Each structure stands twice: as C-alpha cells, then as structure tokens.
Amino acid sequence: MNRRLAAGLAAATALALAVTGCGGGDDPAVGSDGREILTVALWNYENTPEFKTLIEAFEAAHPDIDVEPVDILADDYAEKVTTMLAGGDRTDVLTMKNVTDYSRYALRGQLASVADEAGTLDQSKYLSLEPFNLDGDYFALPYRQDFWVLYYNKTLLADSGADLANLTWAEYADLAKELTSGSGQDTVYGTYHHTWRSIIHSTAAAQTGGDLVGGDYGFIKDRYDMVLDLQTAGATMPWATASTQKVQYHTMFATEKAAMLPMGTWYAARLIEEKKAGTTTVDWGIAPLPQVAEGGPVTTFGSPTAFAVNNKARNAEAARTFVAWAAGPDGAAAIAKIGVFPAYSDETITETYFGVEGMTNDEVAQKAFQPDEVVLEMPVDERSSDVDTILTEEHELIMIGERTVDAGLAEMAERVNSEVD
C-alpha cells in the first residue's frame, strides 16, 4: 500500500501534482505498480478507524486500485474542502461530513451525479438515503448513519442512582453538578459540551419541532439557559476555554476529566479501539440523549456521512466504484465490525454491530441505539449553508458572553430574515 497522508490544502495540492505526473493529462492516475490511484479526502485518518477499515477492505476487493487518503484536520475539513473545490482540485472522492456541506457543494455543481449508483441500492435498507435526493438526483451516497447519544463513565456514575434510560435535561443538569469534583487541573467535570452548536441548536430543534432555517429561534432558549448555567456552576468546561485551547472531546472523556459526554454514535468505534489497545481505561456506557419531558418518546438528531465524486475527479469511474461499494452491503459489513453504525442495515449487519468485542450492549445502550425518532441535524435546504454561518457566528457570541441569550436569538432571527434569500 502506497500511503501519502496529505495535511490540508497544501498537501492535497502536492498530491494532485504527484498524481498528474504518474498519469499525465486527463488520463486516470496510475502508480508505478500499475494500479490506478484513487484519492479520497477525509479527516483525522489515524484517529478515525472507519476510514482505514473501508480503504483496506475496498483495496482487497479491488486489487487494481490503490486508495490514497488526503488527510485534513477534522475541525478544518469543511473550510479546506470548500477552498479545494473553488481552486479546481481534482481529488477523486470527497467525504461529506454532513448534509449542509453536501447541499452546498451539490448546488454549486461541484459534485458529480451518482443517480445511477443510487438506483442500484435497496432503498428499504437505508434510513438516510432520502436527504441526498435533490430533485430526483443524487450527488453522494451515505455509508454511515449517526445520531446523538449520551456517553457516560460507569465508574464515576456508579453511585449516582440516576435512571439513565429515562433522563430529562433538568435531571441531566442536576446530575452534572453532583458529579463535578476537584479544582484547577484536578477538576473532573460532570459533563463536557463540545464547541459545536449542534448540541444546543439541533437538540432543541429535534425535541421541540423547531425549524433551524425558519428565522425564529425562541425554541433554543431553554437549551442555552441550561448550558450556560452549567458553565456558571463549573459543571462543564467554559466554551471559551474549550474553543481557544482546541480541547478535544475524546481527551476529556477518555482521560476521565468528564463524567458524561453528549456525542454521536461514531465515537463508540474509537473507544472500542483504544480500550483494545490499552490507551484508555475508561469504563464507558451509552444512554439515550436526555429529553425535554419525562416518559415520552426518545427523540435525537443525527446526520448521515457520505462519499461523493468530485465533478473534476481525475479517476471518476474508480471513484464511482468506491462510493457505491462503501454505501452497499460490503462497505456496511466492513465498518459494522469495528462498531461504526452503517447507513445500510439488515439483520446480519445489526448482529455484527452489536457483537463487536468491547461494544456496550446492556439494556440502557440497547434503548439508546433504538431511538423513536432521528431528526436531521440541519434541514436539506438551499438556505442551510448561509443560515448555518449566521447561527454559528451568533452562537459563539452568546457562548463567550458577548451577547445575552435573548439578544443573540433576536440577532439570529434578524440576520436570517434579512440576509438569507
């Protein structure tokens, strides 16, 4: 396997130049061993087990193709890919982190249609194929289906008496305060909220029926009040600290600096891998995401992750082959074996997933993995990308205290209604 891990745009450009030298002109890039070189843009390759697993399984099934990852920092991924595409980059396959980025790139004509490949899929086996349907066409196919759950440290919560299978947000907040201990560098927070706005915005939208592109954001107020109260109480790391110090949620949870962590199902694979490798000893579990009211259905939010073919791909046919394979049963089987929930699912895949060594599989976890409803993290809408930018900017001002919650929500509404067509 010829591996060249590129770091961001500069490395991606270098890779493109190297590949051009191998094939010349518009011919498919070919390595010195005669295999076709397929480049795939992704993030945090070394710490995201699914990518290595998918690539190795694909290469085993397609020995004439050498997949080379173009590795980009996860936090910079959307910005880097946007810049790459604007500059005419010819990386073959692009990983779509969420449907917001997908709709932006697709509507700009930067992705190639994969409608033919979508037509070969058994749509009854997918929970998340429809969000990629843009007026009857498809420009990406999902390979992974994630939704948010609550990770918790079993040791730290052992004596809490909490009913984690039926936790409300109010109970969650009280529990986080009770679990917080120590001070300074020895602080163990009751919970950790990563810097993404989704844990506040998308949770509120999913559980109250709010519309994130609708221009009225009063439905988010309760979530902001709770999170800011936890910050004031010292039960979660301040957002400004987490942002300026680029704190990693994995570090907080895996080193037992936080007792709870709302996060996506994708995180389980990393915990399983690191427990197996002995790089973390945290005794972890999964519970349903807390709810607004007690006793109702479990509603969470999520987003499929997909692969797309760059409209300027150097190796378009090989790229289509990779995208269709990853989205199908073979790709699903590969990642289910490491604890990643695939977009494609059948009885065999489900058994494989829950049978992974190290996977948490008690009654609380089983309930967490079977929510009553999973709402898209952000609606697929031509306004989503512009709205996302505004909401993120205003969110940051609220979280650092530059705006009150009421003023921030009012500014979100004013800007979305006046700046977005």
Side-chain angles (χ1 to χ4, degrees):
M1 181 183 297
N2 180 15
R3 287 279 175 270
R4 283 179 291 191
L5 293 180
L9 180 59
T13 302
L15 179 59
L17 291 172
V19 169
T20 299
C22 294
D26 290 330
D27 295 336
V30 178
S32 58
D33 58 1
R35 291 193 297 165
E36 194 168 345
I37 299 173
L38 181 71
T39 51
V40 179
L42 43 76
W43 57 86
N44 292 9
Y45 180 77
E46 293 296 334
N47 295 322
T48 312
E50 74 202 51
F51 290 133
K52 183 177 182 181
T53 297
L54 279 172
I55 289 172
E56 290 183 348
F58 177 78
E59 288 181 330
H62 301 82
D64 56 333
I65 298 176
D66 176 23
V67 181
E68 296 198 346
V70 179
D71 196 12
I72 298 171
L73 284 174
D75 288 344
D76 298 335
Y77 186 79
E79 180 181 354
K80 294 290 187 184
V81 170
T82 298
T83 303
M84 289 163 62
L85 291 174
D89 183 89
R90 300 192 68 183
T91 299
D92 299 305
V93 175
L94 307 166
T95 311
M96 298 289 106
K97 241 184 165 185
N98 52 58
V99 294
T100 302
D101 293 338
Y102 163 70
S103 59
R104 176 169 63 239
Y105 302 141
L107 293 171
R108 289 176 180 173
Q110 294 171 318
L111 306 179
S113 171
V114 288
D116 290 345
E117 286 75 14
T120 67
L121 302 179
D122 180 353
Q123 299 207 11
S124 68
K125 304 294 186 183
Y126 293 83
L127 292 174
S128 54
L129 193 58
E130 186 57 27
F132 296 93
N133 182 343
L134 292 179
D135 295 329
D137 206 347
Y138 293 82
F139 299 90
L141 297 178
Y143 71 92
R144 193 180 88 187
Q145 171 64 53
D146 289 303
F147 49 84
W148 280 56
V149 295
L150 180 66
Y151 292 82
Y152 65 96
N153 183 313
K154 291 183 176 179
T155 302
L156 295 177
L157 270 73
D159 298 325
S160 70
D163 180 8
L164 294 171
N166 300 285
L167 209 59
T168 66
W169 284 112
E171 292 167 341
Y172 161 84
D174 290 341
L175 184 59
K177 292 175 183 176
E178 293 171 9
L179 293 169
T180 300
S181 63
S183 61
Q185 295 297 317
D186 296 324
T187 299
V188 176
Y189 294 100
T191 191
Y192 175 74
H193 297 145
H194 200 46
T195 55
W196 304 324
R197 67 174 181 80
S198 53
I199 184 54
I200 295 176
H201 290 194
S202 298
T203 299
Q207 297 183 346
T208 69
D211 183 358
L212 287 171
V213 297
D216 181 355
Y217 299 102
F219 65 88
I220 309 176
K221 178 176 170 55
D222 287 350
R223 293 281 70 73
Y224 269 123
D225 288 344
M226 182 202 72
V227 170
L228 293 174
D229 177 62
L230 287 175
Q231 285 194 174
T232 301
T236 189
M237 177 179 283
W239 186 93
T241 302
S243 179
T244 56
Q245 296 184 6
K246 295 187 179 298
V247 172
Q248 300 295 310
Y249 65 81
H250 173 64
T251 301
M252 295 297 294
F253 189 73
T255 62
E256 305 193 62
K257 299 296 289 182
M260 296 187 289
L261 173 72
M263 189 50 61
T265 47
W266 67 80
Y267 183 41
R270 185 169 183 185
L271 288 170
I272 291 170
E273 183 183 73
E274 295 206 3
K275 283 276 284 191
K276 191 180 299 182
T279 54
T280 180
T281 58
V282 63
D283 187 9
W284 61 282
I286 289 179
L289 199 66
Q291 302 295 301
V292 175
E294 185 177 0
V298 174
T299 301
T300 184
F301 72 94
S303 182
T305 307
F307 288 120
V309 178
N310 185 349
N311 212 14
K312 295 185 178 180
R314 184 69 183 276
N315 303 320
E317 286 307 308
R320 292 177 186 283
T321 300
F322 179 85
V323 170
W325 177 90
D330 292 339
I335 61 174
K337 292 176 182 175
I338 61 167
V340 175
F341 206 84
Y344 172 92
S345 184
D346 58 23
E347 187 173 342
T348 301
I349 295 296
T350 300
E351 289 178 359
T352 300
Y353 180 77
F354 283 111
V356 172
E357 182 181 356
M359 172 63 73
T360 183
N361 199 19
D362 56 24
E363 289 186 8
V364 178
Q366 291 279 357
K367 183 174 181 178
F369 279 114
Q370 300 177 61
D372 295 289
E373 184 178 14
V374 179
V375 179
L376 268 182
E377 180 174 352
M378 190 74 176
V380 178
D381 189 290
E382 61 183 5
R383 299 167 295 169
S384 292
S385 179
D386 292 336
V387 171
D388 177 64
T389 299
I390 292 171
L391 298 188
T392 299
E393 291 172 353
E394 297 301 326
H395 169 70
E396 293 176 358
L397 293 175
I398 292 173
M399 294 308 294
I400 62 174
E402 287 293 318
R403 291 198 202 285
T404 65
V405 173
D406 290 337
L409 296 176
E411 190 66 14
M412 288 178 193
E414 194 281 329
R415 289 187 60 191
V416 168
N417 287 312
S418 64
E419 297 178 21
V420 181
D421 294 330

CSV table of all heavy atoms in Angstrom, one decimal, residues 65-97:
chain,number,residue,atom,x,y,z
A,65,ILE,N,-6.8,-1.2,-7.7
A,65,ILE,CA,-6.9,0.2,-7.3
A,65,ILE,C,-6.2,0.5,-6.0
A,65,ILE,O,-6.4,-0.3,-5.0
A,65,ILE,CB,-8.4,0.6,-7.1
A,65,ILE,CG1,-9.2,0.5,-8.4
A,65,ILE,CG2,-8.5,2.1,-6.6
A,65,ILE,CD1,-10.7,0.8,-8.3
A,66,ASP,N,-5.4,1.5,-5.9
A,66,ASP,CA,-4.6,1.9,-4.7
A,66,ASP,C,-5.3,3.2,-4.2
A,66,ASP,O,-5.2,4.2,-4.9
A,66,ASP,CB,-3.2,2.2,-5.1
A,66,ASP,CG,-2.4,2.7,-3.9
A,66,ASP,OD1,-2.8,2.4,-2.8
A,66,ASP,OD2,-1.3,3.3,-4.1
A,67,VAL,N,-5.9,3.1,-3.0
A,67,VAL,CA,-6.6,4.3,-2.4
A,67,VAL,C,-5.6,5.1,-1.6
A,67,VAL,O,-4.9,4.5,-0.7
A,67,VAL,CB,-7.8,3.9,-1.6
A,67,VAL,CG1,-8.4,5.1,-1.0
A,67,VAL,CG2,-8.7,3.0,-2.4
A,68,GLU,N,-5.5,6.4,-1.9
A,68,GLU,CA,-4.6,7.2,-1.1
A,68,GLU,C,-5.4,8.3,-0.4
A,68,GLU,O,-6.1,9.1,-1.0
A,68,GLU,CB,-3.6,7.9,-2.1
A,68,GLU,CG,-2.7,6.9,-2.7
A,68,GLU,CD,-1.4,7.5,-3.3
A,68,GLU,OE1,-1.4,8.7,-3.4
A,68,GLU,OE2,-0.5,6.7,-3.6
A,69,PRO,N,-5.4,8.3,1.0
A,69,PRO,CA,-6.2,9.3,1.7
A,69,PRO,C,-5.5,10.7,1.7
A,69,PRO,O,-4.3,10.8,1.7
A,69,PRO,CB,-6.1,8.7,3.1
A,69,PRO,CG,-4.9,7.9,3.2
A,69,PRO,CD,-4.7,7.3,1.8
A,70,VAL,N,-6.4,11.7,1.5
A,70,VAL,CA,-5.9,13.1,1.6
A,70,VAL,C,-6.5,13.6,3.0
A,70,VAL,O,-7.6,13.9,3.2
A,70,VAL,CB,-6.5,13.9,0.5
A,70,VAL,CG1,-6.1,15.4,0.6
A,70,VAL,CG2,-6.1,13.4,-0.9
A,71,ASP,N,-5.6,13.6,4.0
A,71,ASP,CA,-5.9,13.7,5.4
A,71,ASP,C,-6.0,15.2,5.7
A,71,ASP,O,-5.1,16.0,5.5
A,71,ASP,CB,-4.9,13.0,6.3
A,71,ASP,CG,-5.5,12.8,7.7
A,71,ASP,OD1,-6.7,13.0,7.9
A,71,ASP,OD2,-4.7,12.5,8.5
A,72,ILE,N,-7.1,15.6,6.3
A,72,ILE,CA,-7.4,17.0,6.7
A,72,ILE,C,-7.8,17.0,8.1
A,72,ILE,O,-8.6,16.2,8.6
A,72,ILE,CB,-8.5,17.6,5.8
A,72,ILE,CG1,-8.0,17.6,4.3
A,72,ILE,CG2,-8.8,19.1,6.2
A,72,ILE,CD1,-9.1,18.0,3.3
A,73,LEU,N,-7.4,18.0,8.9
A,73,LEU,CA,-7.9,18.1,10.3
A,73,LEU,C,-9.4,18.2,10.3
A,73,LEU,O,-10.0,19.0,9.5
A,73,LEU,CB,-7.3,19.4,10.9
A,73,LEU,CG,-5.8,19.3,11.4
A,73,LEU,CD1,-5.3,20.7,11.9
A,73,LEU,CD2,-5.6,18.2,12.4
A,74,ALA,N,-10.0,17.5,11.2
A,74,ALA,CA,-11.5,17.4,11.3
A,74,ALA,C,-12.1,18.8,11.4
A,74,ALA,O,-13.1,19.1,10.7
A,74,ALA,CB,-11.9,16.5,12.4
A,75,ASP,N,-11.5,19.6,12.3
A,75,ASP,CA,-12.2,21.0,12.5
A,75,ASP,C,-12.0,21.9,11.3
A,75,ASP,O,-12.8,22.9,11.2
A,75,ASP,CB,-11.5,21.6,13.8
A,75,ASP,CG,-12.0,20.9,15.1
A,75,ASP,OD1,-13.0,20.2,15.0
A,75,ASP,OD2,-11.3,21.2,16.1
A,76,ASP,N,-11.1,21.6,10.5
A,76,ASP,CA,-10.8,22.5,9.3
A,76,ASP,C,-11.4,21.9,8.0
A,76,ASP,O,-11.3,22.5,6.9
A,76,ASP,CB,-9.3,22.7,9.1
A,76,ASP,CG,-8.7,23.3,10.3
A,76,ASP,OD1,-9.4,24.1,11.0
A,76,ASP,OD2,-7.4,23.1,10.5
A,77,TYR,N,-12.0,20.7,8.1
A,77,TYR,CA,-12.4,19.9,6.9
A,77,TYR,C,-13.3,20.7,6.0
A,77,TYR,O,-13.0,20.8,4.8
A,77,TYR,CB,-13.1,18.6,7.3
A,77,TYR,CG,-13.3,17.7,6.1
A,77,TYR,CD1,-12.3,17.0,5.6
A,77,TYR,CD2,-14.5,17.7,5.5
A,77,TYR,CE1,-12.5,16.2,4.5
A,77,TYR,CE2,-14.8,16.8,4.4
A,77,TYR,CZ,-13.7,16.1,3.9
A,77,TYR,OH,-13.9,15.3,2.8
A,78,ALA,N,-14.4,21.2,6.5
A,78,ALA,CA,-15.3,21.9,5.6
A,78,ALA,C,-14.7,23.1,4.9
A,78,ALA,O,-14.9,23.3,3.6
A,78,ALA,CB,-16.6,22.4,6.3
A,79,GLU,N,-13.9,23.9,5.6
A,79,GLU,CA,-13.3,25.1,5.0
A,79,GLU,C,-12.2,24.7,4.0
A,79,GLU,O,-12.2,25.3,2.9
A,79,GLU,CB,-12.6,25.9,6.2
A,79,GLU,CG,-11.9,27.1,5.7
A,79,GLU,CD,-11.2,27.9,6.8
A,79,GLU,OE1,-11.4,27.5,8.0
A,79,GLU,OE2,-10.5,28.8,6.5
A,80,LYS,N,-11.5,23.6,4.3
A,80,LYS,CA,-10.4,23.2,3.4
A,80,LYS,C,-11.0,22.6,2.1
A,80,LYS,O,-10.6,22.9,1.0
A,80,LYS,CB,-9.6,22.1,4.0
A,80,LYS,CG,-8.7,22.6,5.2
A,80,LYS,CD,-7.6,23.5,4.7
A,80,LYS,CE,-6.7,23.9,5.9
A,80,LYS,NZ,-5.6,24.9,5.5
A,81,VAL,N,-12.1,21.8,2.2
A,81,VAL,CA,-12.7,21.2,1.0
A,81,VAL,C,-13.3,22.3,0.2
A,81,VAL,O,-13.3,22.3,-1.1
A,81,VAL,CB,-13.7,20.1,1.4
A,81,VAL,CG1,-14.5,19.7,0.2
A,81,VAL,CG2,-13.0,18.9,2.0
A,82,THR,N,-14.0,23.3,0.8
A,82,THR,CA,-14.5,24.4,0.1
A,82,THR,C,-13.5,25.1,-0.7
A,82,THR,O,-13.7,25.5,-1.9
A,82,THR,CB,-15.2,25.4,1.1
A,82,THR,OG1,-16.3,24.7,1.8
A,82,THR,CG2,-15.8,26.6,0.3
A,83,THR,N,-12.3,25.4,-0.1
A,83,THR,CA,-11.2,26.0,-0.8
A,83,THR,C,-10.7,25.2,-1.9
A,83,THR,O,-10.4,25.7,-3.0
A,83,THR,CB,-10.1,26.4,0.2
A,83,THR,OG1,-10.6,27.2,1.3
A,83,THR,CG2,-9.0,27.1,-0.5
A,84,MET,N,-10.5,23.9,-1.7
A,84,MET,CA,-10.0,23.0,-2.7
A,84,MET,C,-10.9,23.0,-3.9
A,84,MET,O,-10.4,23.1,-5.0
A,84,MET,CB,-9.9,21.6,-2.1
A,84,MET,CG,-8.8,21.4,-1.1
A,84,MET,SD,-9.0,19.9,-0.1
A,84,MET,CE,-8.9,18.6,-1.3
A,85,LEU,N,-12.2,22.8,-3.7
A,85,LEU,CA,-13.1,22.8,-4.8
A,85,LEU,C,-13.2,24.1,-5.6
A,85,LEU,O,-13.2,24.1,-6.8
A,85,LEU,CB,-14.5,22.4,-4.3
A,85,LEU,CG,-14.7,21.0,-3.8
A,85,LEU,CD1,-16.1,20.8,-3.2
A,85,LEU,CD2,-14.4,20.0,-4.9
A,86,ALA,N,-13.1,25.2,-4.9
A,86,ALA,CA,-13.1,26.5,-5.5
A,86,ALA,C,-11.8,26.7,-6.4
A,86,ALA,O,-11.9,27.4,-7.4
A,86,ALA,CB,-13.1,27.6,-4.5
A,87,GLY,N,-10.7,26.0,-6.0
A,87,GLY,CA,-9.5,26.1,-6.8
A,87,GLY,C,-9.3,25.1,-7.8
A,87,GLY,O,-8.3,24.9,-8.5
A,88,GLY,N,-10.4,24.3,-8.1
A,88,GLY,CA,-10.3,23.3,-9.1
A,88,GLY,C,-9.6,22.0,-8.8
A,88,GLY,O,-9.1,21.3,-9.7
A,89,ASP,N,-9.5,21.7,-7.5
A,89,ASP,CA,-8.8,20.5,-7.0
A,89,ASP,C,-9.4,19.2,-7.7
A,89,ASP,O,-10.6,19.2,-7.9
A,89,ASP,CB,-8.9,20.4,-5.5
A,89,ASP,CG,-8.2,19.2,-4.9
A,89,ASP,OD1,-7.0,19.3,-4.7
A,89,ASP,OD2,-8.8,18.1,-4.8
A,90,ARG,N,-8.6,18.2,-7.9
A,90,ARG,CA,-9.1,17.0,-8.6
A,90,ARG,C,-9.1,15.8,-7.8
A,90,ARG,O,-9.1,14.7,-8.3
A,90,ARG,CB,-8.3,16.8,-9.9
A,90,ARG,CG,-8.4,18.0,-10.9
A,90,ARG,CD,-7.8,17.7,-12.2
A,90,ARG,NE,-8.7,16.7,-12.9
A,90,ARG,CZ,-8.4,16.2,-14.1
A,90,ARG,NH1,-7.3,16.6,-14.7
A,90,ARG,NH2,-9.2,15.3,-14.6
A,91,THR,N,-9.1,16.0,-6.5
A,91,THR,CA,-9.2,14.8,-5.6
A,91,THR,C,-10.5,14.0,-6.0
A,91,THR,O,-11.5,14.6,-6.2
A,91,THR,CB,-9.3,15.2,-4.1
A,91,THR,OG1,-8.1,15.9,-3.7
A,91,THR,CG2,-9.5,14.1,-3.2
A,92,ASP,N,-10.4,12.7,-6.1
A,92,ASP,CA,-11.5,11.9,-6.7
A,92,ASP,C,-12.7,11.8,-5.8
A,92,ASP,O,-13.8,12.1,-6.3
A,92,ASP,CB,-10.9,10.5,-7.0
A,92,ASP,CG,-9.8,10.5,-8.0
A,92,ASP,OD1,-9.9,11.1,-9.1
A,92,ASP,OD2,-8.7,10.0,-7.6
A,93,VAL,N,-12.5,11.4,-4.6
A,93,VAL,CA,-13.7,11.2,-3.7
A,93,VAL,C,-13.6,12.2,-2.6
A,93,VAL,O,-12.6,12.4,-2.0
A,93,VAL,CB,-13.7,9.8,-3.2
A,93,VAL,CG1,-14.8,9.6,-2.1
A,93,VAL,CG2,-13.8,8.8,-4.3
A,94,LEU,N,-14.8,12.8,-2.2
A,94,LEU,CA,-14.9,13.7,-1.1
A,94,LEU,C,-15.8,13.2,-0.1
A,94,LEU,O,-17.0,12.8,-0.4
A,94,LEU,CB,-15.4,15.1,-1.6
A,94,LEU,CG,-14.6,15.7,-2.8
A,94,LEU,CD1,-15.5,16.8,-3.4
A,94,LEU,CD2,-13.3,16.2,-2.3
A,95,THR,N,-15.4,13.1,1.2
A,95,THR,CA,-16.3,12.7,2.3
A,95,THR,C,-17.2,13.8,2.6
A,95,THR,O,-16.7,15.0,2.9
A,95,THR,CB,-15.5,12.2,3.5
A,95,THR,OG1,-14.4,11.3,3.0
A,95,THR,CG2,-16.4,11.5,4.5
A,96,MET,N,-18.5,13.6,2.7
A,96,MET,CA,-19.4,14.6,3.1
A,96,MET,C,-19.7,14.4,4.6
A,96,MET,O,-20.4,13.5,5.0
A,96,MET,CB,-20.7,14.5,2.3
A,96,MET,CG,-20.6,14.6,0.8
A,96,MET,SD,-20.2,16.3,0.3
A,96,MET,CE,-18.5,16.2,-0.1
A,97,LYS,N,-19.2,15.4,5.4
A,97,LYS,CA,-19.4,15.3,6.8
A,97,LYS,C,-20.8,15.4,7.2
A,97,LYS,O,-21.2,14.9,8.3
A,97,LYS,CB,-18.5,16.4,7.5
A,97,LYS,CG,-17.5,15.9,8.4
A,97,LYS,CD,-16.8,17.0,9.1
A,97,LYS,CE,-15.9,16.4,10.2
A,97,LYS,NZ,-15.3,17.5,11.0
